[in-house]
Amino acid sequence: MELRGERVHLRPVSAGDREILDGIVREPEVAAWWSPPEDYADMLAVVHGNEVIGAVQFSEEDDPEFRHAGIDVFLTARRHGQGLGTDAVRTLARWLVRERGHHRLTIDPAAANTAAIRSYRKVGFKPVGVMRAYWRDHGTGRWEDGLLMDLLADELT
């Protein structure tokens, strides 16, 4: 599967991408929000030009009464603030809605991650509520709040 956005494309993570992605999740600006995953098998590489700049993953609920999907994304700090994460999330969201038939998508950034929240709003995600003590900061060991955001299929920009 390969998905093309306006500025990025998404493709399955290859064996050669793993070292690059390991380096990205260890960057201080990324590590503040992401723990290194055990495996990248369920992720798609985010590629800009010929450069792997991050990864996205999704999870799907297949129960017809609750047909929705969740998204997560990380990008190298060198590419933050350039609209590439927004394009990656929008590209994946369009595929999940149009091709996979999901009526609602969720994303759950750290409540303090204002840049990510701004990016997700550009795609059409809206805040649903704060999930208190939602995730453990692996650097400090403290529980931190998360912001649950969702997007209905007809709100996708």
Side-chain angles (χ1 to χ4, degrees), residues 6 83 85-95 119 122-124 156-157:
E6 290 180 23
T86 302
D87 189 30
V89 170
R90 182 179 289 119
T91 299
L92 182 57
R94 284 182 178 154
W95 179 77
S119 173
K122 291 176 185 175
V123 177
L156 181 58
T157 62

Side-chain angles (χ1 to χ4, degrees), residues 40-41 44 63 66 68 71 76 90 93 116 130 135 138 149 153:
Y40 296 100
L44 299 172
D63 184 328
F66 299 96
H68 68 275
I71 298 175
T76 179
R90 182 179 289 119
V130 173
W135 64 282
H138 61 275
M149 302 177 79

Side-chain angles (χ1 to χ4, degrees), residues 3 12 21 23 42 54 60 63 68 101-102 111 119 122 125 127 133:
L3 306 174
L21 295 173
D42 63 342
E60 297 181 278
D63 184 328
H68 68 275
H102 294 289
S119 173
K122 291 176 185 175
F125 284 90

Side-chain angles (χ1 to χ4, degrees), residues 18-94:
R18 295 173 194 278
E19 187 175 331
I20 295 166
L21 295 173
D22 280 341
I24 292 171
V25 294
R26 286 182 173 78
E27 294 173 5
E29 300 91 336
V30 179
W33 313 113
W34 266 83
S35 298
E38 289 181 28
D39 189 10
Y40 296 100
D42 63 342
M43 294 186 170
L44 299 172
V46 178
V47 182
H48 177 64
N50 292 320
E51 177 189 9
V52 173
I53 62 169
V56 294
Q57 66 182 7
F58 62 94
S59 59
E60 297 181 278
E61 171 62 60
D62 290 328
D63 184 328
E65 291 186 33
F66 299 96
R67 186 90 175 122
H68 68 275
I71 298 175
D72 284 307
V73 60
F74 67 86
L75 294 185
T76 179
R78 293 181 298 99
R79 297 300 188 171
H80 289 181
Q82 299 175 21
L84 300 173
T86 302
D87 189 30
V89 170
R90 182 179 289 119
T91 299
L92 182 57
R94 284 182 178 154

